[in-house]
Amino acid sequence: GDIARMTPAVLIMLALISILIIAHELGHFYVAKWCGVRVERFGFGLPIGPVLWSKKVGETEYCIHPFLFGGYVSFPDDSPESPVPPDSIERFENQPLLNRAAIALAGITVN
């Protein structure tokens, strides 16, 4: 009945939200790369539970997590185990203020 009629609309809504999340994170990703910040991980889905799929391309590991309502871009600053030295310009925290602002605002700008 009603649930069967709503299912296509719900699936379309979930697909559109997923596209919005990916676009938002890609905004952070591309501006960070353009500014010279290393992106260690690009994830689709919240990093809860197992990784469903991952592939390392260059310095970045791309992954998909089971809970798809979220995403993230991980910089060396996010991991104490990162091989990037603490004073490296490849870290978000060591970028000039305007670069950090551009990276932070890139996600909402894409949206």
Side-chain angles (χ1 to χ4, degrees):
D2 291 335
I3 292 176
R5 282 196 312 266
M6 287 178 45
T7 300
V10 169
L11 292 175
I12 290 169
M13 181 188 72
L14 293 176
L16 292 174
I17 290 171
S18 296
I19 291 168
L20 189 65
I21 290 167
I22 291 172
H24 175 96
E25 296 304 331
L26 283 172
H28 296 304
F29 176 85
Y30 283 117
V31 175
K33 296 288 261 179
W34 182 72
C35 290
V37 175
R38 180 181 294 210
V39 176
E40 293 188 336
R41 199 170 214 202
F42 181 93
F44 177 56
L46 296 177
I48 300 169
V51 174
L52 297 177
W53 175 87
S54 74
K55 180 172 180 135
K56 187 152 184 153
V57 178
E59 64 192 23
T60 305
E61 179 184 12
Y62 299 87
C63 18
I64 297 176
H65 300 277
F67 191 67
L68 299 179
F69 296 106
Y72 62 94
V73 176
S74 179
F75 304 127
D77 314 59
D78 301 324
S79 171
E81 295 88 32
S82 176
V84 178
D87 61 346
S88 173
I89 197 70
E90 287 187 304
R91 288 181 173 267
F92 176 83
E93 65 190 11
N94 297 332
Q95 288 286 313
L97 178 61
L98 287 177
N99 287 10
R100 287 181 286 156
I103 294 165
L105 294 172
I108 58 171
T109 302
V110 168
N111 291 129

